[in-house]
Structure formats: structure tokens, C-alpha cells
Amino acid sequence: MTVQAAPASKKLLVFGSREAVFIFLGIFFGAGVPLVFLALFFAWPTATLISMGFIDNGSLDLTTFGEVMTAKRTWSVIWQTLWMAACGTIGSVIFGIPGAYVLYRTVFPGRTFARAVVAIPFVLPTVAVSVGFRALLSQDGPLGFLGLEGSMTGIVAAMIFFNMSLVIRSVGSVWAQLDPRMEQAAATLGASPPRVFATVTLPSLGPAIASAASVVFLYCSTAYSIVLVLGRIGTATLETEIYMETSHYGNLNVASVLSIVQLVVVVSALLMADRARKRVQSTLKMTTHHPARRFTIRDIPAAFVLIASMTCLVVIPMAAVVVRSLQRKGQWTIANYIDLFSADVSPTLQVSVVESLWISMKTALLSGLIAATVGLCVALMVSRRPRRRSARIGLSFLDAAFMLPLGVSAVTVGFGFLVTLSQPPLDLSSCALLIPCAQAVVAIPLVVRIILPVLRAIDPRQREVAATLGANPARVLATVEGPVMMRSGLVAFGFAVAISMGEFGATSFLARPSTPTLPVVIYQLISRPTAVEQGLAMSGSLVLCVATALMMIGLERLNGSQKEGVFHG
């Protein structure tokens, strides 16, 4: 019995049908589902929020906008926001550049460990760290004699705590690739080390410094929980003012106008950061990696600045949390940790601190899963290299669309959820997915930015060879890109979970009293004056920091890779 081969045209038809199915499924899951998620949980709440400042009863009304923008209070808040963000940016750059030099241009024993220590602030929850600074600067704290409690100086110091590491990593990675022969030539011609730095090194690092400074300014201008915990009455930023107008006064129209102003500030910072980033990329194309030199005696001043800044801005505030968590009314005790298991120690609590930690972990894991799934689909879609120009433009728009949440702060996202998704036609106020979705919106841009470069680095010839050997698109995806997606996806999931664990901006608008996350509980406790609640806030902050760090360490050990960067919210 002989078997006749199928006609060639029939083979092509079958293959073409399968190819069409894979293309349809790819577009559906890679673009369709993520865009629906973005439209429902970002575009709709944000657009509704913006319209509240301009539309009243279905018609254009600029009355509220005019009243808010002509109020002296508004411009005072704008000025405080920009001033503190500028000071935080300048301080981060000043303290970060010496650290970038020591950690990326010199070699010494323990450099890898030092880099890891510098990266710690990236994953620490802002509320918990702010509590540490508050304990340090309070009247009965170690630095209480300085009179900085509730001052802008303390707020700026906390901003530098978080963002100095960003400058060190961003500028240091570029500094490591600068050709040292230009500096050597200038020194040979008689230029002193300060002059070599000012005339040769600094101009070469200019784009990297500008890029890092733009991102730091973005983070400082949206440092919601830092200002809320450390600032005294009258010290406000746009985000804290939005919170007060919404939660305390119920002025949703005023809050929406302030959200628009805050959106303009953040988008401007993002545009500057993107422009600087492109300049950095064009600069790096002309450079190659050069080995770092050994640490010498002339590097001691830069090392001293790094050690002193890390000690004052990182070690001491966190040590203050540890010490204060073991004290109550001036006496050493472990009562603060025992009371973590009780909800009866404070009238502000409906659940214990440990229960709120469990709520935070469940919420963060769900948020990380949502962010990693949506971000992975987007990154996989955007990493394609289509031949048609229209397809390439479409993928560029898709990539840009999922970067939009970076231009809206977590406070605006939470406020938008409050006015759109907590009432008909889509009331999700009692839905367990409301807070995870809000946190996922904040984390998705990070997930895409972690996974996308890794997928783009895959040689397209690997896919072509697999297809030539008969593998269908699904098998090519599983065998060529699957292992890479698993590794980078796990890293992205870890960062998304870390961000969600400490997320306070959006959650503060949406958390219910019966199911608060730990950052919300810490803020409630630190706002009360009693020794019991202050002690609980300290021990809860330390537990939150340790839980976040252990979660990140566990995920990274499982993945077996090192993190290269993260942003906090």
C-alpha cells in the first residue's frame, strides 16, 4: 500500500492556517488583553479624573480650575513640591557621584558587597523608611537636638536616602565605560585632578547625570508617603494636598485640578529623562568597557564621602528603627513585637499588624502576578521585529502606551480608582482585585522595562533556525524565548512584588478599615501620640522592611540572577 504525498498547495494552506491562528492569538494576548486592562484600570480613571476639573453637569466649566489656580495656597504647594524635589535631586547627585566613582571606576576587596548594600534602599518601603527618619529626628530621638522634626530638611534627607543609589548605579555604569586615555592625556599635559574632572570627565558624564537627575526629580516630586509621615502641618506637596482635599474635605473637583497640575510636573520630568536617556545611549555607542583600576590613596576622599553619606542617610535611620522598636517609654522591652499579634492594643486597628502583613503579602503577590503577566505579554509583543513599517509603528505605540503610567503618580491612580471603580456602572469597591490592579498599574512599566531588553537581545537567527527545522511558532516561543522569559519574568515579578509590598499612594485611597495593608497600618499608628502605637509603628516598619528584603532575596536566589535597577513609589 502506497501513501501519496499531499499536494503542495494543501500543505501551504494548512501551514498558513496555523500561522494565522498563532498570529491572531499573539495579537489577542500580546496587545488586545493588555490594552483592555490599560483602558479599564488606567485610561478610564485618569480621563475621568481630568474631566472633573473642567466639566460640570456635562458642559465645560473652568470655574473650579480658575479658583484653584489663582489661590495662594496652590502656588505655595507647587513651590514646596518643586523646591523639595530640586533639593532632593541636587543632594542625590552630589552624594551619588563620588559613590559612582568608587564603586565603578576602582577595584577593591568587597566591591560587590558594597554595591549590594548601596542597592538596598531600592526595595525598602517608603513608609517604613520615613518612620525611621521620624524616629531619628523626633524631639526624643538621637538627633532631636537639631530641631529638624517635621522640617523640609528631614524630608529632603529621606528623598536622598532612596535616590542616591539610583545616581550611583546610573552614572557609575556609564563611568565604567568611559575611555580613561582622555583623562590620562589631560593629566600628562599638566592638568590637575580637579581640572581633569571638570574639563574631561564631567562633560562626558553630563548626559548620564542629566538622565539620572531627571528620574530622581520625578521620584522626589512624587514622594507622597515621605512628606505625609515626616512633614509638619503646612508642609505639603501636590500629592499630599490631593489626599487632604479628598479624604478630609471631600473636594473632589479641587483634587482633580491639583492632579492635573501634578500630572504636568511628572510628565515634564519624564520627557526630560527620556531625552537625556537617548543622549546617554548615543554616547555609549562610541565607548567600550575599560577595566577599572585599583583603589589608591588618592581615592580616599571619594570613599569617605560614600561611607559618610551611606552611614548618615541609610545605616543610622534604619538603626534608629531597630532601637526604637525595642523600647517603650524609655525602657528596653520586646512588648512592641508581642503586640504585633493583637488588634486590641490600639483603637485605630481592626486587625493586628501581623494580619495586615499577611494582607500586604497576599495583595502584593496577586499584584505582582497581574503585573508580570500583562508586562510579559506586552514585552513579548513589542520585542517582535516586523518587516512592515506600519507594524513597527503600531508596536512603538503599544510600548509607549504602557509607559504612560510612569507619567501619573500612584496617588492619582488611587484617586482615579476611587471616583470611577467604586461606584456604578462598575463598582469594584468590594472586589478583592481592586487594590492589586491599582498596584499592578504602577508596576507594569517596570516589568516591561526589565523583560523587554532581554527579549530584544535574543538573536533573531535562533528563531529562524528553529523554524527552519520544522518548529511551529508555539514551539519556537517555548524553546528559544521560554527560558529567557522565565528568568527575566521572575526578576520582574520580584520587583513588582517589592513595589506592591510598600505601595502606599494608591492603597491609601482604596484600603478598607477591615483589610488594611501594613503600610496603611503603619501610617495610622505613627499618627497617634501614645507610646504603644509609636512602638508598634517602629516594630511594624522593621517587619515590613525585613519581609520585603527576604522576599526579594528569595526570588533572586531562586532565579540565580542579579538585579540591575528598580523604582519605588
Side-chain angles (χ1 to χ4, degrees):
M1 180 177 179
T2 59
V3 179
Q4 294 183 349
S9 59
K10 194 169 183 179
K11 283 185 178 181
L12 291 175
L13 180 62
V14 173
F15 179 75
S17 300
R18 289 181 178 177
E19 190 76 16
V21 170
F22 283 121
I23 291 175
F24 171 78
L25 292 176
I27 294 175
F28 178 78
F29 288 105
V33 173
L35 284 175
V36 170
F37 179 89
L38 186 70
L40 182 61
F41 295 108
F42 175 73
W44 180 28
T46 304
T48 303
L49 184 63
I50 293 175
S51 66
M52 289 176 60
F54 296 98
I55 299 176
D56 185 21
N57 294 325
S59 60
L60 182 65
D61 185 2
L62 300 179
T63 303
T64 303
F65 185 83
E67 291 175 352
V68 174
M69 296 308 297
T70 55
K72 184 179 179 180
R73 170 70 177 176
T74 301
W75 290 103
S76 175
V77 170
I78 293 175
W79 167 249
Q80 289 188 59
T81 302
L82 298 178
W83 173 250
M84 287 190 289
C87 291
T89 302
I90 294 172
S92 299
V93 171
I94 290 176
F95 290 114
I97 288 178
Y101 170 76
V102 173
L103 295 178
Y104 287 86
R105 289 299 294 164
T106 66
V107 177
F108 55 90
R111 186 176 71 161
T112 302
F113 174 76
R115 287 184 179 181
V117 171
V118 168
I120 287 177
F122 276 126
V123 296
L124 294 182
T126 55
V127 172
V129 173
S130 300
V131 168
F133 274 89
R134 180 165 174 164
L136 189 66
L137 300 176
S138 62
Q139 291 183 355
D140 58 343
L143 299 182
F145 65 92
L146 296 176
L148 298 178
E149 183 179 12
S151 66
M152 288 189 183
T153 303
I155 295 173
V156 170
M159 292 178 177
I160 297 174
F161 168 93
F162 286 107
N163 296 297
M164 182 177 66
S165 302
L166 172 63
V167 175
I168 292 175
R169 184 176 291 270
S170 301
V171 176
S173 61
V174 176
W175 208 333
Q177 300 182 63
L178 292 183
D179 192 340
R181 290 174 296 183
M182 297 179 63
E183 299 174 348
Q184 295 166 1
T188 303
L189 295 174
S192 62
R195 187 171 183 181
V196 171
F197 176 77
T199 59
V200 179
T201 308
L202 194 58
S204 300
L205 293 175
I209 295 174
S211 177
S214 300
V215 177
V216 169
F217 184 86
L218 167 67
Y219 292 161
C220 291
S221 63
T222 55
Y224 169 63
S225 54
I226 294 176
V227 180
L228 205 60
V229 173
L230 293 179
R232 61 167 64 101
I233 297 176
T235 304
T237 60
L238 286 167
E239 289 196 314
T240 58
E241 196 73 359
I242 292 169
Y243 174 77
M244 295 297 291
E245 292 291 344
T246 304
S247 301
H248 289 226
Y249 308 123
N251 297 328
L252 298 184
N253 290 341
V254 174
S256 67
V257 174
L258 293 174
S259 297
I260 296 170
V261 176
Q262 197 261 351
L263 180 62
V264 172
V265 173
V266 173
V267 169
S268 299
L270 275 175
L271 292 176
M272 290 188 293
D274 184 66
R275 185 175 180 180
R277 178 181 58 82
K278 291 179 179 178
R279 291 180 61 190
V280 172
Q281 290 177 345
S282 63
T283 301
L284 290 180
K285 291 178 181 178
M286 299 182 293
T287 64
T288 56
H289 179 74
H290 296 276
R293 60 177 181 79
R294 289 190 175 276
F295 186 89
T296 63
I297 191 171
R298 69 177 186 178
D299 302 321
I300 291 179
F304 175 79
V305 173
L306 173 63
I307 294 173
S309 58
M310 290 298 295
T311 301
C312 296
L313 296 173
V314 178
V315 177
I316 293 179
M318 297 313 300
V321 175
V322 176
V323 172
R324 292 291 294 273
S325 70
L326 293 170
Q327 291 181 339
R328 181 178 291 182
K329 296 181 180 181
Q331 302 295 322
W332 294 96
T333 178
I334 61 171
N336 294 325
Y337 289 94
I338 296 175
D339 289 342
L340 292 176
F341 297 88
S342 174
D344 301 326
V345 293
S346 172
T348 64
L349 300 180
Q350 294 189 20
V351 299
S352 69
V353 174
V354 171
E355 288 177 294
S356 68
L357 173 63
W358 176 240
I359 293 171
S360 292
M361 293 179 66
K362 292 190 296 183
T363 303
L365 289 172
L366 188 55
S367 171
L369 183 61
I370 296 172
T373 302
V374 176
L376 182 61
C377 291
V378 174
L380 190 61
M381 189 71 178
V382 174
S383 65
R384 303 299 93 179
R385 296 181 176 89
R387 296 179 180 178
R388 296 178 59 181
R389 184 171 180 270
S390 59
R392 293 196 300 271
I393 294 175
L395 292 182
S396 298
F397 277 111
L398 180 65
D399 187 18
F402 280 89
M403 292 302 104
L404 286 176
L406 283 177
V408 179
S409 74
V411 168
T412 302
V413 171
F415 184 24
F417 271 53
L418 184 67
V419 299
T420 55
L421 300 178
S422 298
Q423 57 188 0
L426 185 60
D427 187 359
L428 299 179
S429 57
S430 59
C431 180
L433 290 176
L434 185 64
I435 295 178
C437 286
Q439 294 178 348
V441 168
V442 178
I444 284 174
L446 170 66
V447 172
V448 175
R449 290 269 83 68
I450 290 176
I451 299 176
L452 184 57
V454 180
L455 291 179
R456 282 178 170 169
I458 298 176
D459 192 337
R461 289 175 294 185
Q462 297 183 31
R463 304 187 189 97
E464 295 170 0
V465 170
T468 302
L469 295 176
N472 59 40
R475 189 169 183 181
V476 171
L477 178 64
T479 57
V480 177
E481 295 170 306
V484 175
M485 288 191 299
M486 286 294 294
R487 291 192 296 270
S488 60
L490 188 57
V491 173
F493 172 74
F495 281 121
V497 170
I499 290 174
S500 300
M501 278 287 292
E503 205 286 318
F504 180 69
T507 310
S508 62
F509 284 84
L510 304 174
R512 289 177 291 173
S514 58
T515 56
T517 60
L518 185 49
V520 173
V521 168
I522 291 173
Y523 176 69
Q524 292 172 346
L525 290 170
I526 203 66
S527 302
R528 305 276 295 186
T530 67
V532 172
E533 288 159 326
Q534 292 289 312
L536 270 178
M538 298 300 166
S539 58
S541 297
L542 187 61
V543 167
L544 180 57
C545 289
V546 171
T548 304
L550 289 178
M551 188 176 297
M552 284 297 299
I553 292 172
L555 287 169
E556 289 196 359
R557 290 194 64 179
L558 180 63
N559 178 68
S561 63
Q562 295 292 329
K563 60 181 177 290
E564 292 298 329
V566 64
F567 65 86
H568 58 274

